[in-house]
Amino acid sequence: MSRLSDSHHFRKTVAGVCMIGAPLLLLVGMIIHPESKSDVGDQLAVISANMDEWYVAHLIVAMSLVLVGLHVLTFSCVAAALRIPVELTLLARIVPVVLLVSSVPVF
């Protein structure tokens, strides 16, 4: 039997890829992101001067947030299969959601 056709192994693989890929994509997005200004006029000038970098950075950060969501969903299935205590799985689900909610003002 193929390892990808085994649903438990596939979920663990997706969770692992999301766990590694989400922070890396977020880091790349933050590196590419143009500087932020506190003044609205200055910020709009930075955005208009760096439109492509602004768009690509926000697209990469959005993909990172999707991977965080996938990680939360796949981790719950993996944790249930491994019989991890509920308290630990709740903590592992809450932390990515808090990070997700805290990064929403970036958009």
Side-chain angles (χ1 to χ4, degrees):
M1 175 167 51
S2 173
R3 291 184 66 97
L4 287 179
S5 64
D6 180 19
S7 64
H8 180 66
H9 182 268
F10 181 72
R11 275 185 287 231
K12 285 177 26 179
T13 303
V14 170
V17 168
C18 291
M19 188 169 33
I20 294 170
L24 289 177
L25 280 176
L26 184 63
L27 178 66
V28 169
M30 291 299 140
I31 290 172
I32 293 173
H33 198 279
E35 63 179 329
S36 296
K37 303 280 185 170
S38 59
D39 183 45
V40 175
D42 292 340
Q43 184 65 37
L44 289 175
V46 168
I47 293 171
S48 64
N50 303 304
M51 191 67 113
D52 292 336
E53 290 88 359
W54 185 270
Y55 176 72
V56 169
H58 282 243
L59 186 65
I60 290 173
V61 169
M63 289 189 310
S64 171
L65 295 177
V66 168
L67 287 181
V68 167
L70 277 174
H71 173 66
V72 169
L73 291 175
T74 56
F75 181 76
S76 62
C77 293
V78 171
L82 294 176
R83 311 255 194 290
I84 296 177
V86 175
E87 296 83 16
L88 292 177
T89 59
L90 287 176
L91 180 66
R93 289 179 197 166
I94 290 172
V95 170
V97 170
V98 168
L99 293 175
L100 180 72
V101 170
S102 67
S103 65
V104 169
V106 171
F107 292 106

